[in-house]
Amino acid sequence: CYVLFSTLKVSLVAFPLHRHLPPEKETIDIMGGIGNNLDTVRATLGDNPYQYHVRKRISGAKFRSVVAEFAGYSSHYRLASNPIARCLNATLVFESAEELDITIRDCNSSRFEIPDEPPLPFADKKWKNRYNKTWLTSDDGEKYLYDARVGGSPLEIKVTRRETKEPIFWLSTAANFTYSEQYLEYQTPRLTPYVFGMGQRNFGFRLRKGTYTLWNRDTLADLETGEPGHNLYGSHPMYLMREREGRFHVLFFRNSNAMDFSLTDDFCNFKTVGGIIHVKLFLGDERPDTAIRRYHEYLRGHRLLPFWSFGYHQSQWGIEDLDTAERIVRNLTYFGIPTDGFWFDLDYMYKRQLFTVDTDRFHLKRLRRFIRRSGMRVIPLVDCGIATNATSPVYVNLLFSGRYIRNVHGRPLFGWVWPGHVIYPDFSAPDMTELWSSFLTDFYTDFPFGGIWLDMNEPTNFCHGECGRDENMDIMLDKYRVLPYVPGNRTLDNMTLSMDSRIWNGEEHFNVHNFYGPYQAKVTYKALKKDLGFALPFVLTRATFPGTGRYSAHWSGDISSDWDFLAVSVPSVLSFNMFGLPMTGADICGFYGNTTEYLCSRWIQSGALYPFARNHNHEKAIQQSFWSFGPTLLHTAVVCLRLRYALLKQYYTYFVKSRGVGMIVRPPFFEFPNESKLGRDEVLNTHFMLSDQLLFAPIVTNRSNFTVVIFPMEQLGMIFSLVHALVDRISSKNALWAFLSTTLST
């Protein structure tokens, strides 16, 4: 099922598995544009009750700042308890020739801002100068790629690309702008249909018109529809946009509160319930990866992971005992399935309590012998909720340390997950690495793991807020029960902690919820490296936020075993490469529900090329190990995984050479931005490249035995003779569309 062409710079692999789909309604060639945003913006500058007029200006060589006073006629937004900010301070900082920092703060009130500390993103020029010697800073205004101004009555902030005069950011307090205590809204022009990002979501790679919610949430098999409420495990408030003249830029909204992002024909609209307006712009050129690399530099890059983690991984929820585990390993060897990672879900634990082993089913001496003889790294699942077991040293030590999430009364917040009642470690607390490391070190003595799998760290709570809370007594204390606007149309404590719970410094969960998973990943990574001596620690996390890639890999979470989720798996991998977590993948063959032999066969053809390739499924689903169905799936899996291992050194080299920035797995238009056909959705969602050298196009639809591979025009002369002998038909007009037949056995 593979055809090799020595063409595209070094080589190009056509993965002949994609069926040609008819263009979708919003499909437009990548050279196209939409509307006249400038006129549309002007048309919206009408009567608005929340306008601000500039009263004071301050400027310097590297910044512009103004103070604007409220000139509207409403004192609140929707609720009397939600007052409008009476004075705003808008500041532009020219951080470099390609980067601009924009903040709008309340002059009279201190509001939550994302702290400048890892794992969270913040400007760190020392890191950039160390890893990217070509980073440009300049005192010469002529070298800046943008012109920026702030001022006017009503207040406006406008940033244009100097070369093309396009408005890449344009905020006006007279156009859908509100700045109140619990509601912020602003908008900026959408220049073309090509907007990518604003995840995590199970969707196509390009964003279409709709509203998208960002707020880390435990959910099961949720497909995006463009309506509020389909938010998943991670929040990445950034987008990559193509401008009309073909340049690209990245916008990052540096805000961690729950938000809705709405995309219309003409505007990108942000609505959030806390924090400040803090926007960072990263300008690139005609190559999309230029802007992405600058964004990744700001995130301080992604870590290099160990070589073995790029192999194939076998996992299953429902490994009842060591006999079952040993049988799986024997089958992997017998059927010739190359495997580097073996994963245990909750099954190994005693009553599903963290850092325990059920020694009746997993005898410790035998478990250690199994790990040693398997020839693989064995990775256990670790959640975040600590069971309230008075005989557990982990629970007792956590209580004694005081490094746990507290409720509004200052006592431990009790939640409910797999073991029952739990409390939650505060991974942002000072010295939490030492405490968490002591738990991992003691656990390692019993279970010498090769890496750690962090799950349920959004964090998940089946109680929706706090178990045992007297809602009638506390309703007056919880100001987040009634908000003027609720992103996602769902209470924010759904499947998580109370919004008024607190971390060590008194900050409320309302503001820091999206940080919980990244802080756990950071603490775990440091514990493995510092105290357990892992040269290149491997940590896999479900919950993410910008900056998480510096400490962890990621998988797409709990997806269904069906064709819809296979179809969105490639866009998911592309999106997380853009978000700065390139080591990512979906559960091969799906997680929830029963797969089929044909679906699983197509899925391994795609999943064998994910950066992170793991087969994992639910305890109540049928077995989906590759030998569980028949010879077709087994043969397909062996062939595909042998290809993966043949490419493994090359794959790893791309990660090493990236030095932590840029997309490793990327859509073809990243390499050929002027080829309009590569901007079609049916290409964006199915074709992907490994660095700049290998092209893959897997089949992701049911009952398809041929694919259409689209080759860039500038390469056609080089590959025409090779392709002609291998394809059924080549487009007669320009030989761009190559139709290739394929079966599972070829």
Side-chain angles (χ1 to χ4, degrees), residues 254-299:
R254 195 173 187 268
N255 183 293
S256 60
N257 291 90
M259 70 178 71
D260 279 341
F261 171 78
S262 296
L263 197 62
T264 69
D265 283 333
D266 299 300
F267 292 103
C268 302
N269 180 273
F270 295 84
K271 298 177 181 178
T272 186
V273 292
I276 67 168
I277 295 177
H278 187 176
V279 174
K280 298 192 74 69
L281 293 173
F282 305 87
L283 279 72
D285 51 26
E286 294 84 356
R287 299 182 64 84
D289 203 47
T290 303
I292 292 295
R293 289 176 63 85
R294 287 169 182 158
Y295 174 62
H296 288 177
E297 288 164 354
Y298 170 70
L299 300 181

Side-chain angles (χ1 to χ4, degrees), residues 127 296-297 300-303 580 655-662:
W127 188 88
H296 288 177
E297 288 164 354
R300 303 179 74 240
H302 48 79
R303 295 278 188 181
F655 276 77
V656 174
K657 291 175 65 176
S658 75
R659 306 187 73 182
V661 296

Side-chain angles (χ1 to χ4, degrees), residues 298-460:
Y298 170 70
L299 300 181
R300 303 179 74 240
H302 48 79
R303 295 278 188 181
L304 182 65
L305 298 171
F307 181 67
W308 63 263
S309 66
F310 287 77
Y312 169 69
H313 301 265
Q314 181 70 38
S315 181
Q316 178 184 324
W317 182 10
I319 300 177
E320 298 178 350
D321 49 36
L322 270 176
D323 288 338
T324 305
E326 290 171 343
R327 183 168 61 252
I328 293 172
V329 171
R330 286 196 300 270
N331 283 331
L332 289 168
T333 302
Y334 178 79
F335 291 111
I337 300 173
T339 309
D340 275 274
F342 191 89
W343 298 61
F344 282 104
D345 208 308
L346 296 164
D347 313 291
Y348 75 89
M349 301 179 188
Y350 175 73
K351 295 184 178 180
R352 298 184 171 182
Q353 298 177 18
L354 293 194
F355 304 117
T356 66
V357 177
D358 188 333
T359 55
D360 290 337
R361 295 180 297 116
F362 296 87
H363 188 274
L364 293 182
K365 185 176 181 180
R366 186 180 168 195
L367 174 63
R368 290 191 289 268
R369 184 170 64 247
F370 165 78
I371 294 173
R372 184 174 63 254
R373 293 180 176 178
S374 69
M376 297 177 284
R377 268 69 171 191
V378 178
I379 300 96
L381 177 140
V382 174
D383 289 341
C384 57
I386 304 297
T388 56
N389 179 358
T391 65
S392 166
V394 174
Y395 175 67
V396 172
N397 288 338
L398 181 61
L399 274 182
F400 181 77
S401 72
R403 298 168 192 161
Y404 48 77
I405 303 297
R406 301 173 184 270
N407 65 15
V408 70
H409 304 293
R411 298 188 288 272
L413 182 142
F414 290 98
W416 185 280
V417 284
W418 301 118
H421 281 105
V422 298
I423 63 174
Y424 296 85
D426 179 2
F427 293 105
S428 66
D431 301 325
M432 187 62 198
T433 299
E434 286 74 10
L435 180 64
W436 191 249
S437 180
S438 69
F439 298 158
L440 287 169
T441 301
D442 292 343
F443 180 51
Y444 187 84
T445 302
D446 294 335
F447 193 129
F449 49 79
I452 292 293
W453 171 18
L454 302 177
D455 194 14
M456 310 282 285
N457 58 346
E458 289 73 33
T460 298

Side-chain angles (χ1 to χ4, degrees), residues 184-203:
L184 289 80
E185 179 181 5
Y186 69 95
Q187 69 181 25
T188 185
R190 177 189 182 186
L191 300 177
T192 70
Y194 296 94
V195 182
F196 313 91
M198 299 305 293
Q200 179 186 1
R201 59 196 72 263
N202 292 315
F203 200 49

Side-chain angles (χ1 to χ4, degrees), residues 517-564:
Y519 270 104
Q520 186 188 21
K522 171 191 170 184
V523 167
T524 304
Y525 179 93
K526 289 195 169 185
L528 296 185
K529 190 171 184 67
K530 179 181 178 182
D531 295 325
L532 286 170
F534 285 70
L536 294 175
F538 179 78
V539 179
L540 184 78
T541 181
R542 189 169 74 174
T544 63
F545 190 75
T548 310
R550 186 149 179 81
Y551 301 99
S552 180
H554 170 73
W555 92 107
S556 61
D558 298 343
I559 59 175
S560 285
S561 301
D562 60 42
W563 291 95
D564 288 337

